[in-house]
Amino acid sequence: MRNGWRKRRRERCETRQDRGPSGLSLLPWLLMGMGSLSHLISGEAANPWLGLAGLLAFNTLYIAIVFRAFDRVRRETATTWVLLGALAAVTFALAAGYGREWLLLFPLLGLALGAVARGGRELRLLTFPLVAAVGVVTFWRDGWDSAGIVYGTFISTMVTAAILALNETVGELRATREELARSAVEKERLRFSRDLHDLLGHTLSVIVVKSEAARRLAPRDLDAALGQVADIESVGRQALTEIREAVTGYREGSLGTELDRARDALSSADVEPVVRRSGPPLEPAAEALLGWVVREAATNVVRHADATRCEIAVASGPERVRLTVTDDGRRPAPDTNTNTGTGTGTGAPSSGLRSLRERLSAAGGTLTAGPAPNGGFRLTAELPVTAELPAPGDPDTAAHPS
């Protein structure tokens, strides 16, 4: 019960903080005008009815202004500034006409100005002329005895403007923090969707191919069929490990590992793999990105290309590295549009290639895919050797799951 009460209390406090100050926050300061009312009631003021009308006009204008000041749209309208000008005119008229307790209306005018102008250019342009004018009227009516009124007007204007501007900034920061939290959740969802798409697309394709091979081999070569089944088990276990790593966001690819897996997957699909690699070793980030390309390219060859031979070539130089995957398929693989990745061939568009193009682009690389000059299909990826992995969940690298 006690925990529930504390939770409700905390929620009420957070709700009040979210609401922030309002026009009601500045209404209690009207009690500073009680001295003026007392001056009228005591009968010491000349033309008491005129003073009462002026005091009523002052209160009305003050209330209208402070409530408009907490609505950003209404605060910035010309009407608000007209009302503020009218309040200034009434305040100076009453203070100059009556003096004494009526001079306390000047700090209230400062409150209204600070609430409306806040940290804007108008605050800097109006504060010092206002304080100077208040000083002239105050010294004229009461001399140096009321010097505190001038200081109080300046302080009420600047402190009110600073507090409300700070509160507004805090509100904007809170809204930004909430938006960043929502964005982080969305980025993580996109990252997981992207990685799951790429991982399972390749793994399931390999499992299907090896299952078909096991079915074909079983009647005539049971040992070979059992070997394919063992490979299926190994691929499945590896897929579970990679999915766990994808969930935690720490998965890094290895180009050598992916080349070995591609060679095995192509062989199981009766596609002759030819792998060539030249040049110095690559940085881990470049290896990871090219590993994704090899994985997706091999998957597309197995699933779509209807090929008998696939050549994978990796050539790294001092500044850039190029990966080329070429097959002799009798029909185009998906995603033959090299610019948009929308696909113009007979296959369905490859969301995996669109994802790869976005990943490589974010790392300063390029990816092109289309018909090879001598038939078949060619995919080419280029990267700087110093490429960096995009941040997990980066919208620019998010996949478009099919």
Side-chain angles (χ1 to χ4, degrees):
M1 176 180 286
R2 179 175 298 178
N3 291 337
W5 175 79
R6 288 178 178 174
K7 182 178 179 181
R8 289 192 297 271
R9 182 180 179 183
R10 184 170 59 251
E11 291 174 350
R12 287 196 296 269
C13 291
E14 291 175 353
T15 301
R16 286 196 294 269
Q17 290 174 357
D18 291 340
R19 289 175 182 171
S22 65
L24 293 173
S25 306
L26 298 182
L27 291 187
W29 293 102
L30 282 174
L31 293 175
M32 294 177 63
M34 291 299 294
S36 305
L37 182 61
S38 176
H39 188 224
L40 290 175
I41 295 174
S42 66
E44 299 177 15
N47 300 317
W49 291 108
L50 182 60
L52 182 62
L55 190 59
L56 180 61
F58 176 89
N59 291 336
T60 302
L61 290 169
Y62 178 87
I63 293 171
I65 290 169
V66 297
F67 275 103
R68 294 176 70 90
F70 288 90
D71 184 327
R72 175 170 293 186
V73 176
R74 298 171 66 193
R75 182 175 71 235
E76 297 174 354
T77 61
T79 302
T80 301
W81 289 100
V82 169
L83 292 174
L84 188 60
L87 179 66
V90 171
T91 305
F92 276 95
L94 293 174
Y98 293 99
R100 297 178 56 179
E101 295 87 351
W102 297 80
L103 297 176
L104 290 173
L105 298 181
F106 281 133
L108 291 176
L109 175 61
L111 285 172
L113 174 60
V116 173
R118 305 201 175 181
R121 181 174 59 92
E122 297 84 359
L123 181 67
R124 297 189 296 271
L125 295 176
L126 297 176
T127 299
F128 291 103
L130 172 65
V131 172
V134 169
V136 170
V137 174
T138 300
F139 294 145
W140 171 55
R141 291 295 307 184
D142 280 9
W144 290 98
D145 293 339
S146 298
I149 298 296
V150 181
Y151 179 72
T153 302
F154 175 76
I155 290 298
S156 65
T157 303
M158 300 305 295
V159 170
T160 301
I163 290 176
L164 295 182
L166 180 61
N167 180 78
E168 197 171 58
T169 301
V170 169
E172 292 174 354
L173 290 175
R174 183 181 293 114
T176 302
R177 182 183 64 187
E178 294 173 354
E179 181 61 29
L180 288 175
R182 287 192 294 269
S183 178
V185 172
E186 180 66 14
K187 286 180 179 180
E188 182 62 14
R189 185 189 69 82
L190 291 174
R191 181 196 68 81
F192 183 70
S193 173
R194 178 198 68 191
D195 288 356
L196 196 64
H197 169 272
D198 292 346
L199 288 170
L200 292 184
H202 172 79
T203 302
L204 293 177
S205 297
V206 173
I207 290 175
V208 169
V209 169
K210 287 187 172 293
S211 299
E212 291 175 348
R215 178 174 52 80
R216 292 196 305 268
L217 292 170
R220 61 178 187 273
D221 191 342
L222 184 59
D223 290 338
L226 291 176
Q228 295 293 332
V229 172
D231 289 344
I232 292 174
E233 180 183 0
S234 176
V235 169
R237 291 182 183 278
Q238 181 64 31
L240 287 175
T241 301
E242 292 178 345
I243 289 174
R244 292 190 186 102
E245 293 173 348
V247 170
T248 57
Y250 293 113
R251 184 177 188 276
E252 292 186 359
S254 167
L255 179 57
T257 301
E258 294 299 340
L259 288 172
D260 291 339
R261 292 176 180 173
R263 185 186 291 108
D264 184 55
L266 292 169
S267 299
S268 298
D270 295 329
V271 178
E272 178 188 358
V274 179
V275 179
R276 298 188 179 93
R277 186 171 182 178
S278 61
L282 300 174
E283 296 291 333
E287 283 229 355
L289 288 168
L290 293 180
W292 284 109
V293 177
V294 170
R295 172 185 285 262
E296 182 64 27
T299 300
N300 282 341
V301 171
V302 170
R303 295 173 59 187
H304 304 295
D306 193 19
T308 59
R309 188 174 188 273
C310 178
E311 179 178 334
I312 304 174
V314 182
S316 58
E319 295 184 357
R320 296 184 71 83
V321 56
R322 171 180 290 188
L323 167 68
T324 305
V325 181
T326 308
D327 66 73
D328 62 351
R330 291 189 293 274
R331 63 181 178 83
D335 197 13
T336 60
N337 187 321
T338 61
N339 294 322
T340 63
T342 56
T344 58
T346 58
S350 171
S351 61
L353 291 185
R354 286 198 299 270
S355 170
L356 289 175
R357 181 174 290 113
E358 292 166 354
R359 291 190 192 194
L360 267 63
S361 177
T366 60
L367 185 142
T368 58
N374 298 324
F377 189 78
R378 173 176 293 171
L379 180 146
T380 303
E382 287 194 17
L383 271 178
V385 294
T386 57
E388 295 183 359
L389 284 172
D394 190 327
D396 292 337
T397 64
H400 309 272
S402 55

